[in-house]
PDB file of all heavy atoms in Angstrom:
ATOM      1  N   LYS B  83      35.960 -19.071 -21.524  1.00  0.00           N
ATOM      2  CA  LYS B  83      34.964 -18.332 -20.623  1.00  0.00           C
ATOM      3  C   LYS B  83      35.598 -17.017 -20.157  1.00  0.00           C
ATOM      4  O   LYS B  83      34.936 -16.011 -19.894  1.00  0.00           O
ATOM      5  CB  LYS B  83      34.534 -19.088 -19.448  1.00  0.00           C
ATOM      6  CG  LYS B  83      33.563 -20.136 -19.888  1.00  0.00           C
ATOM      7  CD  LYS B  83      32.536 -20.458 -18.839  1.00  0.00           C
ATOM      8  CE  LYS B  83      31.272 -21.271 -19.434  1.00  0.00           C
ATOM      9  NZ  LYS B  83      30.316 -21.566 -18.444  1.00  0.00           N
ATOM     10  N   ASN B  88      29.859 -11.811 -20.783  1.00  0.00           N
ATOM     11  CA  ASN B  88      28.787 -12.074 -19.909  1.00  0.00           C
ATOM     12  C   ASN B  88      29.239 -12.925 -18.670  1.00  0.00           C
ATOM     13  O   ASN B  88      28.412 -13.224 -17.875  1.00  0.00           O
ATOM     14  CB  ASN B  88      27.665 -12.774 -20.633  1.00  0.00           C
ATOM     15  CG  ASN B  88      26.945 -11.861 -21.409  1.00  0.00           C
ATOM     16  OD1 ASN B  88      26.852 -10.604 -21.203  1.00  0.00           O
ATOM     17  ND2 ASN B  88      26.339 -12.313 -22.655  1.00  0.00           N
ATOM     18  N   GLN B  89      30.550 -13.289 -18.633  1.00  0.00           N
ATOM     19  CA  GLN B  89      30.929 -13.976 -17.409  1.00  0.00           C
ATOM     20  C   GLN B  89      31.414 -12.882 -16.442  1.00  0.00           C
ATOM     21  O   GLN B  89      32.234 -12.060 -16.713  1.00  0.00           O
ATOM     22  CB  GLN B  89      32.137 -14.892 -17.743  1.00  0.00           C
ATOM     23  CG  GLN B  89      31.800 -16.131 -18.501  1.00  0.00           C
ATOM     24  CD  GLN B  89      30.995 -17.063 -17.626  1.00  0.00           C
ATOM     25  OE1 GLN B  89      31.352 -17.384 -16.591  1.00  0.00           O
ATOM     26  NE2 GLN B  89      29.810 -17.465 -18.314  1.00  0.00           N
ATOM     27  N   MET B  90      30.837 -12.892 -15.275  1.00  0.00           N
ATOM     28  CA  MET B  90      31.148 -11.880 -14.257  1.00  0.00           C
ATOM     29  C   MET B  90      30.727 -12.278 -12.882  1.00  0.00           C
ATOM     30  O   MET B  90      30.021 -13.315 -12.689  1.00  0.00           O
ATOM     31  CB  MET B  90      30.600 -10.539 -14.568  1.00  0.00           C
ATOM     32  CG  MET B  90      28.945 -10.632 -14.655  1.00  0.00           C
ATOM     33  SD  MET B  90      28.402  -9.019 -15.210  1.00  0.00           S
ATOM     34  CE  MET B  90      28.345  -9.101 -16.890  1.00  0.00           C
ATOM     35  N   MET B  95      27.303  -8.266 -11.685  1.00  0.00           N
ATOM     36  CA  MET B  95      25.943  -8.536 -12.368  1.00  0.00           C
ATOM     37  C   MET B  95      24.886  -7.430 -11.778  1.00  0.00           C
ATOM     38  O   MET B  95      24.069  -7.039 -12.551  1.00  0.00           O
ATOM     39  CB  MET B  95      25.418  -9.925 -12.116  1.00  0.00           C
ATOM     40  CG  MET B  95      25.955 -10.958 -12.933  1.00  0.00           C
ATOM     41  SD  MET B  95      25.088 -12.548 -12.488  1.00  0.00           S
ATOM     42  CE  MET B  95      26.318 -13.625 -13.167  1.00  0.00           C
ATOM     43  N   VAL B 218      18.625 -15.187  -3.522  1.00  0.00           N
ATOM     44  CA  VAL B 218      19.396 -15.859  -4.589  1.00  0.00           C
ATOM     45  C   VAL B 218      20.459 -16.642  -4.106  1.00  0.00           C
ATOM     46  O   VAL B 218      21.403 -16.230  -3.378  1.00  0.00           O
ATOM     47  CB  VAL B 218      19.887 -14.740  -5.546  1.00  0.00           C
ATOM     48  CG1 VAL B 218      20.539 -15.405  -6.765  1.00  0.00           C
ATOM     49  CG2 VAL B 218      18.804 -13.690  -5.970  1.00  0.00           C
ATOM     50  N   ARG B 219      20.334 -18.027  -4.310  1.00  0.00           N
ATOM     51  CA  ARG B 219      21.309 -18.960  -3.797  1.00  0.00           C
ATOM     52  C   ARG B 219      22.319 -19.365  -4.770  1.00  0.00           C
ATOM     53  O   ARG B 219      23.417 -19.887  -4.478  1.00  0.00           O
ATOM     54  CB  ARG B 219      20.689 -20.087  -3.185  1.00  0.00           C
ATOM     55  CG  ARG B 219      19.904 -19.953  -1.927  1.00  0.00           C
ATOM     56  CD  ARG B 219      19.126 -21.157  -1.500  1.00  0.00           C
ATOM     57  NE  ARG B 219      18.579 -20.986  -0.185  1.00  0.00           N
ATOM     58  CZ  ARG B 219      19.162 -21.245   0.996  1.00  0.00           C
ATOM     59  NH1 ARG B 219      20.359 -21.704   0.916  1.00  0.00           N
ATOM     60  NH2 ARG B 219      18.526 -21.025   2.104  1.00  0.00           N
ATOM     61  N   ASP B 220      22.110 -18.996  -6.025  1.00  0.00           N
ATOM     62  CA  ASP B 220      23.044 -19.527  -7.179  1.00  0.00           C
ATOM     63  C   ASP B 220      23.278 -18.339  -8.093  1.00  0.00           C
ATOM     64  O   ASP B 220      22.337 -17.669  -8.496  1.00  0.00           O
ATOM     65  CB  ASP B 220      22.366 -20.573  -7.884  1.00  0.00           C
ATOM     66  CG  ASP B 220      23.270 -21.114  -8.984  1.00  0.00           C
ATOM     67  OD1 ASP B 220      24.220 -20.434  -9.349  1.00  0.00           O
ATOM     68  OD2 ASP B 220      22.916 -22.243  -9.538  1.00  0.00           O
ATOM     69  N   VAL B 221      24.553 -17.913  -8.255  1.00  0.00           N
ATOM     70  CA  VAL B 221      24.852 -16.758  -9.063  1.00  0.00           C
ATOM     71  C   VAL B 221      24.290 -16.791 -10.447  1.00  0.00           C
ATOM     72  O   VAL B 221      24.013 -15.778 -11.066  1.00  0.00           O
ATOM     73  CB  VAL B 221      26.467 -16.560  -9.036  1.00  0.00           C
ATOM     74  CG1 VAL B 221      27.041 -17.586  -9.931  1.00  0.00           C
ATOM     75  CG2 VAL B 221      26.770 -15.133  -9.560  1.00  0.00           C
ATOM     76  N   ASN B 222      23.956 -18.050 -11.017  1.00  0.00           N
ATOM     77  CA  ASN B 222      23.540 -18.116 -12.234  1.00  0.00           C
ATOM     78  C   ASN B 222      21.920 -17.838 -12.317  1.00  0.00           C
ATOM     79  O   ASN B 222      21.359 -17.740 -13.448  1.00  0.00           O
ATOM     80  CB  ASN B 222      23.798 -19.471 -12.914  1.00  0.00           C
ATOM     81  CG  ASN B 222      25.267 -19.614 -13.239  1.00  0.00           C
ATOM     82  OD1 ASN B 222      25.826 -18.794 -13.875  1.00  0.00           O
ATOM     83  ND2 ASN B 222      25.919 -20.625 -12.726  1.00  0.00           N
ATOM     84  N   ASP B 223      21.378 -17.757 -11.222  1.00  0.00           N
ATOM     85  CA  ASP B 223      19.925 -17.261 -11.165  1.00  0.00           C
ATOM     86  C   ASP B 223      19.911 -15.714 -11.032  1.00  0.00           C
ATOM     87  O   ASP B 223      18.765 -15.231 -11.121  1.00  0.00           O
ATOM     88  CB  ASP B 223      19.179 -17.920  -9.913  1.00  0.00           C
ATOM     89  CG  ASP B 223      19.122 -19.473 -10.074  1.00  0.00           C
ATOM     90  OD1 ASP B 223      19.151 -19.925 -11.143  1.00  0.00           O
ATOM     91  OD2 ASP B 223      18.982 -20.060  -8.961  1.00  0.00           O
ATOM     92  N   LEU B 224      21.013 -15.129 -10.667  1.00  0.00           N
ATOM     93  CA  LEU B 224      20.974 -13.690 -10.232  1.00  0.00           C
ATOM     94  C   LEU B 224      20.336 -12.763 -11.349  1.00  0.00           C
ATOM     95  O   LEU B 224      19.507 -11.957 -11.082  1.00  0.00           O
ATOM     96  CB  LEU B 224      22.355 -13.277  -9.833  1.00  0.00           C
ATOM     97  CG  LEU B 224      22.344 -11.893  -9.178  1.00  0.00           C
ATOM     98  CD1 LEU B 224      21.406 -11.735  -7.974  1.00  0.00           C
ATOM     99  CD2 LEU B 224      23.770 -11.568  -8.787  1.00  0.00           C
ATOM    100  N   ALA B 225      20.816 -12.939 -12.576  1.00  0.00           N
ATOM    101  CA  ALA B 225      20.399 -11.997 -13.658  1.00  0.00           C
ATOM    102  C   ALA B 225      18.912 -12.163 -13.830  1.00  0.00           C
ATOM    103  O   ALA B 225      18.167 -11.113 -13.821  1.00  0.00           O
ATOM    104  CB  ALA B 225      21.039 -12.375 -15.034  1.00  0.00           C
ATOM    105  N   LYS B 226      18.434 -13.351 -13.942  1.00  0.00           N
ATOM    106  CA  LYS B 226      17.006 -13.591 -14.102  1.00  0.00           C
ATOM    107  C   LYS B 226      16.181 -12.903 -12.970  1.00  0.00           C
ATOM    108  O   LYS B 226      15.168 -12.245 -13.264  1.00  0.00           O
ATOM    109  CB  LYS B 226      16.735 -15.087 -14.200  1.00  0.00           C
ATOM    110  CG  LYS B 226      15.225 -15.411 -14.423  1.00  0.00           C
ATOM    111  CD  LYS B 226      15.146 -16.993 -14.327  1.00  0.00           C
ATOM    112  CE  LYS B 226      13.719 -17.525 -14.594  1.00  0.00           C
ATOM    113  NZ  LYS B 226      12.612 -16.868 -13.980  1.00  0.00           N
ATOM    114  N   VAL B 227      16.558 -13.160 -11.724  1.00  0.00           N
ATOM    115  CA  VAL B 227      15.838 -12.617 -10.626  1.00  0.00           C
ATOM    116  C   VAL B 227      15.897 -11.095 -10.616  1.00  0.00           C
ATOM    117  O   VAL B 227      14.800 -10.451 -10.362  1.00  0.00           O
ATOM    118  CB  VAL B 227      16.532 -13.168  -9.319  1.00  0.00           C
ATOM    119  CG1 VAL B 227      15.871 -12.385  -8.090  1.00  0.00           C
ATOM    120  CG2 VAL B 227      16.156 -14.626  -9.100  1.00  0.00           C
ATOM    121  N   VAL B 251      27.480 -15.392  -3.097  1.00  0.00           N
ATOM    122  CA  VAL B 251      26.948 -15.244  -4.387  1.00  0.00           C
ATOM    123  C   VAL B 251      27.388 -13.934  -5.117  1.00  0.00           C
ATOM    124  O   VAL B 251      27.652 -13.980  -6.357  1.00  0.00           O
ATOM    125  CB  VAL B 251      25.332 -15.285  -4.407  1.00  0.00           C
ATOM    126  CG1 VAL B 251      24.784 -15.120  -5.778  1.00  0.00           C
ATOM    127  CG2 VAL B 251      24.873 -16.582  -3.790  1.00  0.00           C
ATOM    128  N   ALA B 254      30.883 -15.023  -6.333  1.00  0.00           N
ATOM    129  CA  ALA B 254      30.960 -16.159  -7.310  1.00  0.00           C
ATOM    130  C   ALA B 254      30.809 -15.593  -8.741  1.00  0.00           C
ATOM    131  O   ALA B 254      30.165 -14.567  -9.027  1.00  0.00           O
ATOM    132  CB  ALA B 254      29.888 -17.093  -7.023  1.00  0.00           C
ATOM    133  N   THR B 255      31.471 -16.282  -9.652  1.00  0.00           N
ATOM    134  CA  THR B 255      31.386 -15.975 -11.078  1.00  0.00           C
ATOM    135  C   THR B 255      30.178 -16.831 -11.749  1.00  0.00           C
ATOM    136  O   THR B 255      30.130 -17.934 -11.581  1.00  0.00           O
ATOM    137  CB  THR B 255      32.642 -16.139 -11.731  1.00  0.00           C
ATOM    138  OG1 THR B 255      33.632 -15.259 -11.139  1.00  0.00           O
ATOM    139  CG2 THR B 255      32.596 -15.703 -13.222  1.00  0.00           C
ATOM    140  N   GLY B 256      29.531 -16.122 -12.676  1.00  0.00           N
ATOM    141  CA  GLY B 256      28.478 -16.892 -13.376  1.00  0.00           C
ATOM    142  C   GLY B 256      28.202 -16.212 -14.655  1.00  0.00           C
ATOM    143  O   GLY B 256      28.907 -15.189 -15.091  1.00  0.00           O
ATOM    144  N   THR B 257      26.965 -16.563 -15.310  1.00  0.00           N
ATOM    145  CA  THR B 257      26.784 -16.054 -16.581  1.00  0.00           C
ATOM    146  C   THR B 257      25.606 -15.022 -16.478  1.00  0.00           C
ATOM    147  O   THR B 257      24.544 -15.253 -15.856  1.00  0.00           O
ATOM    148  CB  THR B 257      26.283 -17.058 -17.514  1.00  0.00           C
ATOM    149  OG1 THR B 257      27.287 -18.111 -17.579  1.00  0.00           O
ATOM    150  CG2 THR B 257      26.112 -16.544 -18.985  1.00  0.00           C
ATOM    151  N   TYR B 258      25.851 -13.738 -16.959  1.00  0.00           N
ATOM    152  CA  TYR B 258      24.863 -12.793 -16.991  1.00  0.00           C
ATOM    153  C   TYR B 258      24.119 -12.725 -18.348  1.00  0.00           C
ATOM    154  O   TYR B 258      24.713 -13.131 -19.315  1.00  0.00           O
ATOM    155  CB  TYR B 258      25.524 -11.393 -16.780  1.00  0.00           C
ATOM    156  CG  TYR B 258      24.539 -10.239 -16.840  1.00  0.00           C
ATOM    157  CD1 TYR B 258      23.912  -9.854 -15.597  1.00  0.00           C
ATOM    158  CD2 TYR B 258      24.419  -9.457 -17.983  1.00  0.00           C
ATOM    159  CE1 TYR B 258      22.945  -8.821 -15.783  1.00  0.00           C
ATOM    160  CE2 TYR B 258      23.485  -8.415 -18.035  1.00  0.00           C
ATOM    161  CZ  TYR B 258      22.726  -8.101 -16.891  1.00  0.00           C
ATOM    162  OH  TYR B 258      21.816  -7.069 -16.872  1.00  0.00           O
ATOM    163  N   HIS B 259      22.787 -12.421 -18.315  1.00  0.00           N
ATOM    164  CA  HIS B 259      22.154 -12.112 -19.543  1.00  0.00           C
ATOM    165  C   HIS B 259      21.327 -10.820 -19.484  1.00  0.00           C
ATOM    166  O   HIS B 259      20.806 -10.528 -18.423  1.00  0.00           O
ATOM    167  CB  HIS B 259      21.338 -13.321 -20.029  1.00  0.00           C
ATOM    168  CG  HIS B 259      20.049 -13.499 -19.078  1.00  0.00           C
ATOM    169  ND1 HIS B 259      20.163 -14.388 -18.046  1.00  0.00           N
ATOM    170  CD2 HIS B 259      18.954 -13.032 -19.053  1.00  0.00           C
ATOM    171  CE1 HIS B 259      18.941 -14.403 -17.433  1.00  0.00           C
ATOM    172  NE2 HIS B 259      18.244 -13.465 -18.048  1.00  0.00           N
TER     173      HIS B 259
END
Side-chain angles (χ1 to χ4, degrees):
Chain B
K83 288 212 164 180
N88 284 331
Q89 287 295 307
M90 61 182 86
M95 281 184 199
V218 183
R219 289 172 172 274
D220 181 344
V221 70
N222 288 308
D223 294 336
L224 186 56
K226 179 185 186 312
V227 167
V251 175
T255 300
T257 309
Y258 178 81
H259 67 262

